[in-house]
Amino acid sequence: GDQRAMGGRCASPGRVSPMDAPQTTLPPEPSADLPAPLAERLAKLAPDQRAAATAPPGPVLCIAPAGSGKTTTLVARIAWLIGGPVRAEPATVMAITFNKRAQEEMAARLGPALEPLGVDAAAVRVRTFHALGREILLDAGAAVEPLVERAILLAELLPEASPAERRRLDTAFSRLKLD
């Protein structure tokens, strides 16, 4: 799965997206001066994925269909930012996802990517848009007590339900929000 083409776009504000630029040359192969685990991870990426993963520091927005390798690309980008030439402090790197499931998947994949670099994956902030908003409100001193974590509420309301049943109900609530 890691070598599929993105089939979408990744863009850095103020720069040409690697997918929009004329493709006269392929992105460079990973440099020998990178830690071996990082060089191996980057080498497994398709050219468009590698271009997105190694784009200059700054925000990158990846839009592509399901199963195209967005999470793989973003995990490689985070590893590159931290273990590559940028040497970003993990606490300064953030990944924002649209939903909890994507956030959990991203967080789970960061462990194997960052551990060989000697970095605790928990040091990188991986949040959903909603969790980030809540965090910003808390940091600003706003009262967020009226906000409820759905997983906790479902566990309180349905203690007899299995975690899988609660996830299915949570997914149904998420779909209702989109309709």
Side-chain angles (χ1 to χ4, degrees), residues 6-23 25 27 47-53 55-56 59-64:
M6 291 277 289
R9 282 199 292 204
C10 289
S12 302
R15 296 182 209 36
V16 174
S17 162
M19 274 52 77
D20 293 338
Q23 289 295 320
T25 59
D48 58 341
Q49 291 174 306
R50 190 168 45 257
V60 172
L61 173 65
C62 285
I63 301 172

Side-chain angles (χ1 to χ4, degrees), residues 122-147:
V124 174
R125 293 170 40 183
V126 181
R127 306 284 190 271
T128 64
F129 279 105
H130 293 101
L132 175 61
R134 186 175 195 278
E135 191 175 295
I136 291 168
L137 289 171
L138 281 170
D139 287 349
V144 293
E145 290 78 25
L147 300 176

Side-chain angles (χ1 to χ4, degrees), residues 100 148-155 169-171 173-174 177:
K100 182 81 171 162
V148 176
E149 174 67 42
R150 281 195 324 236
I152 294 169
L153 179 63
L154 288 173
L169 188 55
D170 185 61
T171 297
F173 287 141
S174 291
K177 290 189 308 187

